[in-house]
Amino acid sequence: MPVLAPSSPGHYEVGMWQVEHRFHSQLPMATVWAYGASQATATTPGPTIEAVRGYPIDVRWSNHLPDRHLLAASVDTSLHMAHPARGIPTVVHLHGAETEPGSDGFPESWFTAEFAEKGPTWEKETYHYENEQRSTLLWYHDHALGFMRLNIYAGLAGLYILRDPANDPRTLPSGRYEIPLILQDRMFHADGSLAYPTTGVNPDHPQWQPEFFGNVICVNGTAWPHLDVEPRRYRFRVVNASGSRFYRLGVATEDPAWSEGPTIRQIGTDGGLLRKAVWIAGGPGRRNHALLVAPAERADVIVDFTGLPVGSRFVLTNDAATPFPGGDPYCHISEHEDNEMMRPYQVVGATVAKQASVAATSGEEFLSLHEGGAPRAVTLVV
Ligand SMILES: [Cu+2]
């Protein structure tokens, strides 16, 4: 994900645009909604905003979306929701930030394209972020009343990293060794377009479903990506940007002995760095825990690949039940084939918990990238 450049010192311009995006090399391009300084540069997830504690910034969020919703068949007008005469209501909330009310992106502060229509609590076009809180990973996402689940799913989410050079430890992996992982579950039609339920489960709400579980996990906008790593420490900054799915993340090795895998320590949560790192995997007593990340939650982790043999391969796994914790148990996919075993790298991939019930209730046929058929390679180089 690109880092957003300011249009002038301390000021950013970010639009919402309809663009084409490829989620997977085996899928055609999909139409999505994206954030960016221009339509040509807009991406999903949106560009990352890097802010520094003590230095406030302003962001003018603008809406350039077409009148028709990307997921029009899923819009449910029976809900408590924004009702503009035309166009798509949007508003941006910076999740986890200590923000003044007028810049907080309240659901009724929505606005349509070119600010033509505005919700009852709308105050201003340009939002102000004070950046006074402790350094942590925040994320921005759509928050329009009755639309946010659809607008986020369509692509309107991005990262905001708040740093504190005076207090952040200098020993943490940085630069290309600090990697954000934005987790989103999705579902695709056979033509590669985004799929979302269009049939409700309650007669009062013909389209709306209270929860959604996609059968394909996207990381940073790519389905099941693959990352080559060096034998050293990495800092992964995880955010769960899925609507309903919890993740209980672990690292699987092809060697059944867990001790062969990397060690994992959690160093931070939503509010910032912990006082002391917590062992997730490895360390005293060789812990083998999983990292639980609820929707919208963030986790800051150090994964140490030091000393592992070149060519070792690891899979980032999720085994959380859906819904969590009492729902359907997980099922690992087994065909996460690596066709690049000859490369002198270690590999991290992402797998997905099997989920079929939403597709079944929608009455449509959805593309499955991992169920049935012959094993296929699904790794990508990020
Ligand atoms: Cu949020």
Side-chain angles (χ1 to χ4, degrees):
M1 293 163 293
V3 172
L4 186 67
S7 55
S8 61
H11 184 90
Y12 295 81
E13 295 279 340
V14 184
M16 303 160 217
W17 311 88
Q18 182 162 303
V19 301
E20 299 293 300
H21 175 82
R22 191 183 298 282
F23 284 97
H24 190 279
S25 60
Q26 294 175 13
L27 285 174
M29 297 290 270
T31 303
V32 299
W33 287 355
Y35 287 110
S38 67
Q39 187 167 25
T41 59
T43 56
T44 184
T48 299
I49 296 176
E50 291 250 5
V52 176
R53 188 179 189 185
Y55 292 85
I57 65 166
D58 292 315
V59 182
R60 183 175 180 271
W61 304 98
S62 56
N63 177 339
H64 307 276
L65 297 171
D67 283 349
R68 183 178 164 77
H69 203 285
L70 183 65
L71 304 164
S74 303
V75 174
D76 191 328
T77 55
S78 71
L79 299 175
H80 176 212
M81 67 193 300
H83 283 289
R86 63 178 289 187
I88 307 300
T90 63
V91 64
V92 181
H93 175 64
L94 181 55
H95 189 111
E98 297 170 9
T99 307
E100 58 169 13
S103 298
D104 200 40
F106 188 66
E108 300 221 75
S109 300
W110 53 266
F111 52 92
T112 59
E114 317 309 332
F115 299 100
E117 289 180 64
K118 298 155 191 159
T121 61
W122 185 90
E123 279 188 34
K124 54 185 177 180
E125 292 186 6
T126 300
Y127 278 12
H128 180 74
Y129 300 110
E130 200 56 33
N131 297 327
E132 278 296 338
Q133 69 197 87
R134 292 166 57 204
S135 62
T136 189
L137 175 65
L138 309 170
W139 65 293
Y140 60 88
H141 63 78
D142 192 76
H143 212 215
L145 189 68
F147 284 87
M148 71 180 81
R149 74 196 182 289
L150 302 177
N151 291 358
I152 294 173
Y153 187 78
L156 295 181
L159 302 181
Y160 186 111
I161 301 178
L162 180 57
R163 300 191 187 278
D164 185 356
N167 293 301
D168 287 343
R170 288 170 213 282
T171 52
L172 295 176
S174 61
R176 64 195 178 98
Y177 303 115
E178 179 190 15
I179 301 176
L181 302 177
I182 177 165
L183 309 180
Q184 296 175 291
D185 58 341
R186 288 201 159 95
M187 210 159 54
F188 295 94
H189 293 287
D191 67 359
S193 60
L194 284 171
Y196 198 85
T198 57
T199 310
V201 292
N202 174 331
D204 292 336
H205 302 297
Q207 288 84 23
W208 174 74
Q209 292 191 8
E211 293 187 299
F212 166 82
F213 298 103
N215 63 346
V216 177
I217 306 302
C218 296
V219 185
N220 301 346
T222 300
W224 299 317
H226 142 176
L227 175 69
D228 295 333
V229 295
E230 298 168 30
R232 68 181 321 281
R233 292 185 310 149
Y234 280 76
R235 182 182 187 186
F236 290 103
R237 311 199 66 170
V238 181
V239 55
N240 178 359
S242 311
S244 310
R245 182 182 291 280
F246 282 63
Y247 295 85
R248 203 168 66 173
L249 298 171
V251 174
T253 67
E254 295 190 326
D255 186 322
W258 178 267
S259 59
E260 297 292 322
T263 63
I264 305 173
R265 280 170 296 163
Q266 183 170 8
I267 60 167
T269 63
D270 289 336
L273 292 168
L274 297 166
R275 232 174 246 124
K276 193 164 169 256
V278 175
W279 284 101
I280 302 291
R286 285 210 176 143
R287 284 172 201 281
N288 183 4
H289 293 163
L291 181 68
L292 184 69
V293 193
E297 189 178 5
R298 285 86 67 207
D300 199 345
V301 295
I302 300 291
V303 179
D304 193 350
F305 300 94
T306 302
L308 296 170
V310 168
S312 303
R313 187 171 165 273
F314 308 101
V315 179
L316 181 64
T317 61
N318 168 40
D319 66 0
T322 53
F324 188 84
D328 297 335
Y330 71 91
C331 172
H332 287 295
I333 64 167
S334 57
E335 67 270 34
H336 198 273
E337 296 270 303
D338 186 0
N339 54 5
E340 296 177 339
M341 292 292 283
M342 301 311 289
R343 297 176 69 156
Y345 301 117
Q346 300 156 337
V347 178
V348 174
T351 68
V352 60
K354 192 171 179 177
Q355 215 287 332
S357 60
V358 173
T361 55
S362 70
E364 292 181 57
E365 204 172 305
F366 293 105
L367 177 66
S368 170
L369 291 174
H370 69 278
E371 290 167 3
R376 61 204 296 195
V378 292
T379 53
L380 298 177
V381 176
V382 174

